[in-house]
Amino acid sequence: MNYRVPVPVPQVILDDVRGAQKMLSGVSRVTPMEGSRHLSALTGSPVHFKCENLQRTGSFKLRGAYVRIAGLRPEQRAAGVVAASAGNHAQGVALASSLLGVRSTVFMPVGAPLPKVAATQEYGAEVRLHGQVVDETLAAAQEHADRTGAVFIHPFDHRDIIAGQGTVGLEILEQCPEVRTILVGIGGGGLAAGVAVAVKALRPDVKVIGVQAAGAAAYPPSLRVGHPVSIDNPNTMADGIKVGRPGDVPFAIIGELLDDVRTVSEDALSSALLLCLERAKLVVEPAGCSTVAALLSEPELYGNGPVVAVLSGGNVDPLLLQRILRHGMAAAGRYLSLRLRVADRPGALAGLLAVLSTVDANVLDVSHVRTDPRLGLTEVEVELQLETKGPEHCTEVARSLHAAGYQVMD
C-alpha cells in the first residue's frame, strides 16, 4: 500500500518475532495447514488453511498474550494482569497467566456467551462481567489497572502482542514455502501486523492482504487519511474483528507493509463458515473465516499462485452458530420460500407435496392462510419453507411446480 504514518510508534522487527517463536516453543501449537480442493478449483490456485482455530484456547490469541506477560518484570507479575475481551483474548490471557503463575482478572461484557465465560474461568482467570459493549468493558478494565496496579494486557496495541502473533507468519513460510498470497483477518490489527512483519522481512515478494467485515471496516478510511480513525457503531456477526478503531502500533505496520485490505459482506461470512464446516470439517468462527469469505467473494483476485488463508479462531457460541448456519444456508440458496394458491379442498395439499417429492425438495414448514381478502372463496394460500441443494435445484423446483399448474406468487 505504501501509506506512510508520521506518528512515531514502537517498532516491531523480525528479530522480535523470532524471539517470540523461541519463547512460545512448547507453549503454543504449530497449527496444521490443510488444503481446500473446492477453493483451489474456484481460484485456479492451490489454497491452504492455516488452522489457528485448532490452537490452544481455540485461537491465535495465546501467542501474543503469552509473549506479553512473559516479558513483564517480576514486580509487574506480582501485581497481576487485567484484560478486557468478549472471548478469544480473554481465554488467551487466562491460559498464558496460568502457565506463567500470574494472577489474572478478565472483564467481559454482560452479554458474553456463557461457553466463553466458562472457558476463561477454567483457564484460571477471575471473570468480572461489566458493561453492555466492549468499550464499557475496556474502560472498567483500565480503571481496575489504575486502581490496583495490575498490568493492562491490550488485545492488539502492543509490540509484544504483535511479535507473538507474527509467529503465525513464520510457520506459514515454513509449512508452505511456495506461498504467493497470505490472507489475514483484521480487527485491531495485531495478527495482520505481526504476520506482515515476519513475511515481508523474509519474503517481500509474498502478498499479505488483510480482510475486514464490511460493517466494521475501520482500516480503509484510516489508511486513506493516514492515521487511525474511529467508525461509529461497528456491526457484524464476526465479533472477533468487530473493532471500531485500529491500534496505533499495528496501524503503522499495516500501513507500511500490507499490500491491500479487502472487505466482505455478512452473507459471505456466513457462506464461508458453512463451507469450512461442510467441506473442510472445521469449526471456525465468523471472524476466523473472513479470509475464506474473501476467496469466495472475489476468487479471480487469487489465481497467481498458492494462497494461505489464516483461520484465526474457532470459538463460536452454539446458539450463534445455529443462527449463522441458517443464514449461510439461505445465502447459498439452500433454502427456498414459496407462496402458492391452491384449491381449498381435501387432497389439494397432498397433491402439492407430491410434486415437491418428485424433485427431492425437503419441506421444513407449511402454513395456510384463509383470511386474505385477495383469496377467492374456494382458495387457500400455502406458504412453504423448503430445503434445497442449491440455486440450480431451486430453479428445478419452481419449474416443476409451474409444469404441474401451480402459480408461484411474488
Side-chain angles (χ1 to χ4, degrees), residues 208-248:
V208 182
I209 297 175
V211 184
Q212 289 207 289
Y219 265 88
S222 297
L223 290 167
R224 281 195 293 270
V225 299
H227 60 83
V229 298
S230 298
I231 59 171
D232 295 329
N233 303 316
N235 183 28
T236 174
M237 69 175 74
D239 58 344
I241 54 174
K242 189 168 71 173
V243 177
R245 183 188 184 279
D248 293 328

Side-chain angles (χ1 to χ4, degrees), residues 137-329:
T137 309
L138 282 166
Q142 188 62 64
E143 187 277 332
H144 176 86
D146 295 340
R147 178 170 47 82
T148 66
V151 179
F152 180 67
I153 306 299
H154 199 283
F156 49 81
D157 207 11
H158 193 279
R159 64 190 308 273
D160 290 345
I161 295 285
I162 292 169
Q165 321 304 30
T167 59
V168 174
L170 294 180
E171 290 179 16
I172 289 172
L173 295 182
E174 291 166 2
Q175 293 170 309
C176 186
E178 68 277 13
V179 63
R180 296 294 302 277
T181 303
I182 299 173
L183 292 168
V184 191
I186 302 183
L191 176 62
V195 169
V197 167
V199 171
K200 290 296 186 179
L202 295 169
R203 289 280 306 279
D205 59 303
V206 174
K207 288 186 177 180
V208 182
I209 297 175
V211 184
Q212 289 207 289
Y219 265 88
S222 297
L223 290 167
R224 281 195 293 270
V225 299
H227 60 83
V229 298
S230 298
I231 59 171
D232 295 329
N233 303 316
N235 183 28
T236 174
M237 69 175 74
D239 58 344
I241 54 174
K242 189 168 71 173
V243 177
R245 183 188 184 279
D248 293 328
V249 182
F251 180 81
I253 296 168
I254 285 171
E256 184 70 24
L257 297 181
L258 246 66
D259 293 279
D260 199 1
V261 174
R262 313 297 298 179
T263 61
V264 292
S265 68
E266 298 298 285
D267 280 354
L269 286 168
S270 57
S271 295
L273 188 149
L274 186 62
L275 182 143
C276 288
L277 193 61
E278 284 193 319
R279 299 296 184 94
K281 315 307 178 192
L282 292 169
V283 177
V284 187
E285 63 189 277
C289 63
S290 60
T291 53
V292 178
L295 290 167
L296 289 174
S297 300
E298 299 175 296
E300 68 280 0
L301 298 181
Y302 307 103
N304 63 340
V307 180
V308 172
V310 179
L311 307 183
S312 58
N315 294 316
V316 57
D317 179 56
L319 294 177
L320 176 62
L321 178 61
Q322 187 179 42
R323 294 197 297 271
I324 294 171
L325 286 176
R326 286 198 299 264
H327 189 273
M329 294 275 283

Side-chain angles (χ1 to χ4, degrees), residues 75-109:
E75 64 271 20
Q76 291 177 309
R77 292 195 189 192
V81 299
V82 61
S85 168
N88 288 346
H89 180 59
Q91 294 174 64
V93 168
L95 179 57
S97 299
S98 294
L99 293 172
L100 291 164
V102 177
R103 184 178 69 258
S104 63
T105 303
V106 175
F107 285 78
M108 302 182 77

Side-chain angles (χ1 to χ4, degrees), residues 362-384:
N362 186 35
V363 179
L364 300 176
D365 192 26
V366 179
S367 62
H368 289 73
V369 176
R370 288 188 169 85
T371 57
D372 192 323
R374 294 171 296 179
L375 292 171
L377 185 62
T378 59
E379 288 183 320
V380 62
E381 182 179 299
V382 176
E383 184 172 343
L384 297 164

